[in-house]
Amino acid sequence: MALIIKYIVACLVRYWLIHTDYWQTIANRVEIATPLNSWKRLIEGVHLYDNGINPYEGDSFHESPIMLILFHFLLKKVPYLLPVIFVVLDALTAHILYKASKVFIQIFKESQERGKADVVEESKNMLLNESQLNEVPYYVLSVYLFNPYSVLNCVGMTTTVVQNLLLAVSLWAASSGQRVMACVFIALATHQALYPILLVVPISILVANVNQGCNKCSYIRTLLGFVLCWGFCIFISAYIMDGSYDYFYNTYGFILSVPDLKPNIGLFWYFFTEMFEHFRLLFVCAFQINALALYVVPLTLRFHKEPVLLATVLIALSTIFRSYPCIGDVGFYLALLPLWKHLFSFMQQKFIVACTFIITSALGPTVWHLWIYSGSANANFFFGVTLSFATAQIFLITDMLFAHIKRDFTLKNGSSRQINGKPAKLVLR
């Protein structure tokens, strides 16, 4: 009953906000809508397509052709149901994350049982008991349903709602050992936003672990399945556009080359606004390598035994460093953090990160108003807020990773620090 009440309240809040006078303001906020996910641009693209004009010939529409056809159908057949559809999709995302987290908890239990022999006696009280593990899915559900970032993302009717659903289904499918479903949904998410391609690695590991097939063949099958599904998405998109692949430039090309420098909560827009044009290609490549490739190999080598943690971290890093991030992306990975509730006691920067999140979330709209409407500030003010927001997210992720390492070390070596029977002293040189 408590779960049903949560769903009802969360859906009513979203539905009510969509029908208030503030909806247009929310939907146009730079923190919520980007050139990739904006509802306004989506409607424009559908309108152009409906009138026989290729929406990819201009510079306003950047969604995939599959999304174009989907929303063309919805806007033609059931336009009055669109607010309900977005609310239901967001609630469904929360429910699938809830189901996925229950499977993740079972994986944690099995992993803890296997590693019990390596835990020293004095650290056995740190092992998670049944009640601590069973309450985690409820926290995941609550954080997604009532997180202001997720709520505003749904209210703004951005296509990030669909992307979050695709990511949630792919994580749940992988944790359940359903390779084909995981490949299909991660391919759809990649086709829409490109950056979810990073999740192929943890999903491959997770599927192999669940199916007890930790070998190269299992990983290759998952990778091959993803490539085939993604290729099929590309083929279907070309078929929709009458056999033309010109949409590539306004979808993947737009994401990678970052031509639209409208401010957002990311790091790209200000840097490329201030940079000399002849350096642009170099730094675009450097930024995109940082977002798409730099962290995958080292993090996989270190955390390959924890694919759920690896997936959480890669989702967070791709959110921070992608070219057009929004708060809907942030809200999704924040909902996964309760899975690591047992690490919070080892984290040292929780208070600083929480305060920074709250302050920057309040200051962002304030300095935007001062810059754009009052004229009493400039771009540096808004970029300072977005830079602080990104820094807080980086602190959160690094702190969580270090907390995992510290907890793992303490379980195996105990909390006492002695050398030759005497208390050890840590000295930095």
Side-chain angles (χ1 to χ4, degrees):
M1 181 59 72
L3 277 180
I4 296 174
I5 292 173
K6 283 183 181 180
Y7 284 120
I8 293 173
V9 171
C11 290
L12 288 176
V13 167
R14 286 163 167 79
Y15 187 79
W16 172 71
L17 284 172
I18 290 174
H19 288 85
T20 61
D21 296 335
Y22 299 104
W23 175 80
Q24 195 70 40
T25 303
I26 293 171
N28 292 329
R29 288 298 311 174
V30 294
E31 300 92 344
I32 298 169
T34 71
L36 288 176
N37 70 358
S38 170
W39 174 247
K40 189 178 186 180
R41 292 186 182 230
L42 181 61
I43 288 181
E44 184 176 348
V46 170
H47 179 73
L48 291 172
Y49 181 77
D50 196 42
N51 285 276
I53 302 171
N54 186 349
Y56 297 105
E57 288 181 354
D59 193 38
S60 61
F61 185 72
H62 307 289
E63 276 290 351
S64 70
I66 294 175
M67 293 290 288
L68 174 66
I69 287 297
L70 172 63
F71 280 95
H72 178 265
F73 173 80
L74 293 175
L75 283 166
K76 284 294 174 186
K77 299 298 183 182
V78 286
Y80 51 90
L81 285 180
L82 280 167
V84 176
I85 290 171
F86 272 93
V87 171
V88 169
L89 288 178
D90 215 35
L92 184 60
T93 302
H95 182 67
I96 292 172
L97 283 178
Y98 170 73
K99 290 181 66 177
S101 60
K102 293 185 83 169
V103 182
F104 291 154
I105 290 308
Q106 189 60 40
I107 293 173
F108 293 163
K109 287 179 183 177
E110 294 171 0
S111 176
Q112 184 171 269
E113 286 298 318
R114 287 195 302 268
K116 259 187 178 181
D118 298 326
V119 178
V120 297
E121 190 63 36
E122 64 174 299
S123 297
K124 285 189 175 177
N125 61 333
M126 291 170 53
L127 293 175
L128 302 174
N129 57 44
E130 196 75 17
S131 61
Q132 288 175 319
L133 288 168
N134 290 338
E135 66 187 7
V136 167
Y138 299 97
Y139 289 131
V140 171
L141 178 68
S142 300
V143 171
Y144 190 86
L145 286 177
F146 300 106
N147 186 339
Y149 297 152
S150 301
V151 172
L152 292 174
N153 178 62
C154 178
V155 172
M157 294 173 66
T158 70
T159 55
T160 304
V161 172
V162 179
Q163 184 189 329
N164 288 346
L165 176 61
L166 296 175
L167 291 176
V169 175
S170 64
L171 290 174
W172 171 72
S175 64
S176 304
Q178 302 178 51
R179 190 194 314 274
V180 175
M181 184 183 289
C183 290
V184 168
F185 280 90
I186 200 61
L188 286 169
T190 301
H191 187 59
Q192 182 186 358
L194 188 60
Y195 292 99
I197 194 174
L198 295 174
L199 288 183
V200 174
V201 176
I203 281 177
S204 301
I205 298 172
L206 197 54
V207 169
N209 290 350
V210 172
N211 293 332
Q212 297 181 348
C214 295
N215 52 59
K216 291 181 181 179
C217 290
S218 178
Y219 302 140
I220 291 172
R221 283 198 297 269
T222 304
L223 180 60
L224 184 60
F226 164 76
V227 171
L228 290 175
C229 292
W230 190 16
F232 184 71
C233 290
I234 292 172
F235 172 76
I236 289 295
S237 295
Y239 178 78
I240 292 169
M241 302 311 297
D242 299 323
S244 172
Y245 289 88
D246 292 342
Y247 73 91
F248 258 58
Y249 177 75
N250 263 337
T251 52
Y252 300 141
F254 183 82
I255 293 170
L256 292 173
S257 60
V258 203
D260 192 326
L261 299 179
K262 181 180 178 181
N264 52 57
I265 62 170
L267 303 174
F268 277 71
W269 68 272
Y270 186 84
F271 188 88
F272 289 104
T273 300
E274 299 293 326
M275 188 182 58
F276 292 114
E277 190 63 26
H278 53 276
F279 289 124
R280 180 180 176 83
L281 180 59
L282 170 65
F283 284 98
V284 163
C285 292
F287 270 57
Q288 295 294 4
I289 288 172
N290 183 66
L292 283 167
L294 190 62
Y295 305 104
V296 176
V297 174
L299 287 175
T300 302
L301 291 175
R302 180 59 184 84
F303 299 104
H304 64 277
K305 293 182 180 179
E306 297 287 346
V308 181
L309 177 63
L310 180 62
T312 305
V313 171
L314 289 178
I315 291 171
L317 289 173
S318 68
T319 295
I320 298 167
F321 296 116
R322 67 176 58 194
S323 49
Y324 297 102
C326 69
I327 60 173
D329 301 315
V330 179
F332 182 82
Y333 82 76
L334 288 180
L336 297 175
L337 293 186
L339 291 169
W340 314 104
K341 188 169 66 72
H342 55 280
L343 302 180
F344 290 174
S345 60
F346 290 88
M347 295 172 66
Q348 297 180 335
Q349 299 165 357
K350 300 188 296 289
F351 181 74
I352 295 173
V353 169
C355 288
T356 307
F357 265 82
I358 294 170
I359 292 169
T360 52
S361 297
L363 275 180
T366 304
V367 296
W368 177 262
H369 180 84
L370 292 174
W371 174 25
I372 300 300
Y373 298 103
S374 298
S376 56
N378 56 42
N380 296 318
F381 285 69
F382 187 74
F383 179 67
V385 173
T386 60
L387 183 61
S388 299
F389 187 62
T391 303
Q393 294 180 77
I394 294 168
F395 276 20
L396 174 64
I397 298 307
T398 54
D399 201 18
M400 188 170 72
L401 290 176
F402 280 124
H404 173 78
I405 293 170
K406 285 187 283 188
R407 182 179 182 273
D408 197 43
F409 180 85
T410 304
L411 285 173
K412 294 178 180 178
N413 298 278
S415 56
S416 61
R417 301 288 178 267
Q418 291 187 342
I419 298 176
N420 297 327
K422 297 181 180 179
K425 183 179 180 181
L426 181 63
V427 178
L428 297 177
R429 296 184 180 275

